[in-house]
Each structure stands twice: as C-alpha cells, then as structure tokens.
Amino acid sequence: MWKNSFYNTIGGVIRLALGLISVPFLTRTLGIEIYGLYATMNAITNIALFSEWSLSSVVTVFLSKEISEINKYNSSIYKAQTFSTSALFILIIALITSILLFLNASLFTSFFDSLELSQKVLLTRAVQLTSLIIGLRLIQQFFVGILQANKEYGHINIISTVYSIISIITTLYIAANGYSIVVIQYYQLFITIIMTIFYIGFCYYLKYVKIYSFTNINIKYFAQISKFGIQTWTASLGSTLFSQFDKLIVLKLFGTETSGIYSAITALTNQINSISALPVQPILPTISSINEATIDISNNVEKIFIKFSLINAFII
C-alpha cells in the first residue's frame, strides 16, 4: 500500500513537471490569445470530466470486495456481475456526457460574449472534438478501476505518465508548426483512442478481464452501483468547479488575452493542489477489502487514516 502511494506521488510529480514545462512553450507558440482559448477548452474538458475519478472509484470499491481474501473461492460470479453492471453504468455516463457536450458545443461558446465570431467557431469545433475525447476517457476509467482494485498503481502511473508525455509533446509540436487548437484536438483524439485500446489490451493481458466477465448484468446491483457513483460524482463536482470555472468567468469578462495570462498563472497551482490527493488514493481498495473481510474494522481504518494523513501532511 505504501509502495503504491510512492508510485502515485512520483507519477504526479513527473506530470506536474511536464505541465510546468509545457505552459511557457504553449503560450509562446500558440500566442497568449489562442492559449486562452486552449485553456478554456481544457477547463470545459475538466468540468465535463469531473466524474472521471468517481467512475474508476465505483469499479475499485465494488471489485475490491469481490477479490478480497474472504471471497476468493466464490468470486467469479460476483466479479462478472460487478464487471457487467459497472461497465454498463460507466458506458451510460460516458455516452450521456459526450453526446450532451457535442450537441451543445455552440451553446457553451455563445456564453463568451467577448469572443469574435471566428474564435467562437474555432472553439466550438474544438469542443465537439473534445466531447469524443471525454467519452473515451470516461470509458478508460472502467479499466483504471480494475487496475486500482488489483493494486496495480505502478502500472497505472507508468501508463498515465507516458500518456502525458505523448500528449504534451504532440501538442507542443503541433503548436510550434502553427496549427490551430482544432488540429491539436484531432491528434489528441487519435492518442486517446490508442490509449483506450491499450488499457483494454493491458487488462486482458494481465488476465483481470475476460470475455465472459460481461455476461451478468444485475438491475438491483446496478441501482446500488449507480447510487454510489452518483454520490462520489456529486462530491467531486465542487472541487472541479472551484479549480476550473474561474477560467470561464475570466474569459467571459475580460477576453482571450487576459484569460490566457490568468490560465498560465493558475495552471501550476491547480496541478500542485491535485498532488496532495495522490498518496491517499491507494486507500480505496484497501478500505474496501478490509470492510468485506472483517467485522470490526474501526482500529484498522483508524491506523490507515493516521498513516495516510501523515504522508499527506509531508507532501503538503
């Protein structure tokens, strides 16, 4: 568990460094005004993706119970039920989010009165492409949740870091050659498709997922998973709006140039803030499996929270 916290923290620091390096390059190559549009598009993406963490948590929590020591001899049926039902829930969320954003892209951009018509058209096309990326990234969370439940945080962080490196290098290269944010999103969509296929293949390679894993949908279990997913989903909305909605307000009130400057300044602080959550993420499958395996978990949970609080305090 502590090894997984280390993996999460190191991965987060590397991605933070990549983000720190990319911001000045992007502002220089795209120009401060286009970077403002790019940052706005990312803010819309992050708001739409506020459910990302909660979706992987759904799979992690419920699957951790099924693969715990107490259930290891009779878990195949329940694992198939968890796989099938959580996959259906995530697919529904991904489709609804992606379709709504795609169909309402022009409505989103009309909110920004300070944009010129050409900028609104550019942002609308970019947001439409982003909606497809969001749908795929939400689907990825199903497989991330499987890896988390099996405590494969080392592999998750390697994949996420490589994903970030490829994404940032591609964005910088396209921006340096004078292409628009629409072209950037076309390439990001291609990368996201490849990474989604990789996540699927990787989970099959590790034998965490098989074809028959998706043959046992339980409606009652679906209601239970949906309730938990919506609760964690709603809980993450506040922090997402707090970290992203201000960029949209700045763009609306002050235009692309000021928005670009503001986004460049706040990009680093938002990433630093997210690092504090990384060391404690491995607590999720641990608590879930403990809860399933023992009757009195208060002492175990208390010890785990104390240790993770000390790690978090050290990181901060």
Side-chain angles (χ1 to χ4, degrees), residues 105-137:
S106 58
L107 181 63
F108 275 111
T109 54
S110 65
F111 173 76
F112 306 109
D113 305 325
S114 59
L115 295 181
E116 298 175 2
L117 180 60
S118 60
Q119 292 175 325
K120 287 185 177 181
V121 171
L122 187 67
L123 186 58
T124 298
R125 292 175 61 191
V127 171
Q128 287 175 334
L129 288 169
T130 300
S131 69
L132 303 178
I133 295 172
I134 287 169
L136 290 171
R137 284 185 57 178

Side-chain angles (χ1 to χ4, degrees), residues 124-171:
T124 298
R125 292 175 61 191
V127 171
Q128 287 175 334
L129 288 169
T130 300
S131 69
L132 303 178
I133 295 172
I134 287 169
L136 290 171
R137 284 185 57 178
L138 292 179
I139 290 172
Q140 286 176 13
Q141 295 311 301
F142 172 74
F143 299 97
V144 172
I146 292 172
L147 294 174
Q148 287 180 165
N150 289 278
K151 302 180 181 179
E152 295 284 356
Y153 285 90
H155 287 131
I156 292 172
N157 277 283
I158 291 172
I159 296 170
S160 297
T161 303
V162 172
Y163 193 174
S164 297
I165 291 172
I166 295 173
S167 178
I168 289 172
I169 289 176
T170 302
T171 300

